[in-house]
Every structure is written in structure tokens, then in C-alpha cells.
Amino acid sequence: LRTLVVDGDLRHPSATRYFDAQEGPGLVDYLAGDAELEKAIRLHEASGVWVLPAGAQTQNPPGMLGSERMKQLLSALRERFDFVIVDTPPVGPVVDALIIAQIVDKVIYVVRWGATPREMVAHTLSRLPLRKISGVVLNHVVDRNARRYGRDGHAYYYGARYYKNYYES
């Protein structure tokens, strides 16, 4: 399936760095009218994923992400790609993710396991549109510590049982 990852974290563009797409125009350049979309989107050969990096720095990330041009861009990208994933900054410190949540189809909420307080998760989830929350993902799970929750409690049990051949091949 044709998948596009949009780096919507205009303050700390980690997806741009992950896909090694720092050079050339990106989302900010397109939204500012300084670049064509065709020049900003590129294929990451190793993964087969298309990437729209963050691009140039901006002093107004919320203004750019909430702009009419951004809404039109997402609408156009839905036509061209099977999946459009927008990576945003965390919900707590800045409003950027809340702005993006209003204009995307679904939200996947990522929580750092063992580090993010439950109260913060509950508070930030209450700020997101409930009908758009598609799920919660735990990242940075430490297998050694997660085993305390029982053998059925996480992927350690299932991974050994069902995915062993997948990871060995």
C-alpha cells in the first residue's frame, strides 16, 4: 500500500532525521508557497515509504498546521496515498498535535511505557476528539520489567509463540 509519512513536528523533526530527508524542501516550504509538492515528497528507498519532511524552520508551527492550505494538502494526499501518517509533537507541551487531530481521520496515541504518568495520559486523551482516537500504542517497553505482569501481559509470550519464525527469517 502506498504510505506517506508527513513530519508534522515542525519544532523537532525526528521523522525527517529518521528518514534522512533533511536536504531539500518539505512541509513548511510547501505550506509557505516556496516549493511544489512534487519536489517536497520523496521516496525512502530502504523502506518503500514516501516521506514529506518538515522542511525549513518556522516561527509559527500552529499557524501553519492549522492553515487552510494544510487542510487542502491532507485532502489531496488522501487521494494519492492509501495511508497518510502525520507524526506530531507530544500533546502535552504544545498545541500542534491538537490542531492536527482536528483535520486527520484518526489518531493513534503513543505513550512511553513506564515513564508517562497515567494522569497525563488521561488528561491529554481528554483533550483529543474521542471519535478520532483509533488506539493507544506503548513504546519503549522494557521486556525484563514487563514480565512482572504475567506471561500473557505483553508481546514476550506472544512473540515467542507466534512470531518466532517471522523474526528468524
Side-chain angles (χ1 to χ4, degrees), residues 32-73:
D34 297 332
E36 296 176 22
L37 187 57
E38 303 309 320
K39 299 219 177 184
I41 295 176
R42 55 202 83 155
L43 178 64
H44 182 253
E45 298 285 340
S47 65
V49 171
W50 293 86
V51 179
L52 177 53
Q57 292 187 355
T58 178
Q59 296 297 316
N60 187 13
M64 294 204 112
L65 295 172
S67 68
E68 189 59 37
R69 189 160 167 93
M70 180 68 177
K71 293 173 189 169
Q72 292 170 357
L73 171 63

Side-chain angles (χ1 to χ4, degrees), residues 4-26:
L4 172 70
V5 174
V6 178
D7 194 345
D9 188 346
L10 305 183
R11 300 165 202 270
H12 301 286
S14 58
T16 297
R17 286 190 302 277
Y18 178 82
F19 289 107
D20 195 26
Q22 297 92 325
E23 301 298 320

Side-chain angles (χ1 to χ4, degrees), residues 40-164:
I41 295 176
R42 55 202 83 155
L43 178 64
H44 182 253
E45 298 285 340
S47 65
V49 171
W50 293 86
V51 179
L52 177 53
Q57 292 187 355
T58 178
Q59 296 297 316
N60 187 13
M64 294 204 112
L65 295 172
S67 68
E68 189 59 37
R69 189 160 167 93
M70 180 68 177
K71 293 173 189 169
Q72 292 170 357
L73 171 63
L74 288 178
S75 180
L77 294 174
R78 282 182 187 102
E79 299 295 319
R80 293 178 53 185
F81 294 92
D82 298 306
F83 291 106
V84 177
I85 300 167
V86 182
D87 181 47
T88 67
V91 177
V94 294
V95 300
D96 302 9
L98 297 174
I99 292 169
I100 291 294
Q102 301 300 320
I103 58 177
V104 296
D105 297 331
K106 293 290 179 184
V107 172
I108 298 174
Y109 188 85
V110 180
V111 178
R112 186 169 185 162
W113 183 82
T116 308
R118 290 179 184 159
E119 297 79 14
M120 178 181 279
V121 172
H123 173 71
T124 54
L125 280 172
S126 72
R127 297 175 68 196
L128 292 166
L130 186 59
R131 71 189 186 290
K132 290 192 177 189
I133 298 173
S134 193
V136 176
V137 173
L138 298 175
N139 69 357
H140 296 276
V141 175
V142 179
D143 281 342
R144 183 180 73 246
N145 296 341
R147 289 183 190 150
R148 290 186 289 192
Y149 295 100
R151 68 180 211 160
D152 296 331
H154 77 297
Y156 171 73
Y157 171 74
Y158 294 107
R161 188 166 176 194
Y162 295 107
Y163 301 116
K164 185 176 181 182

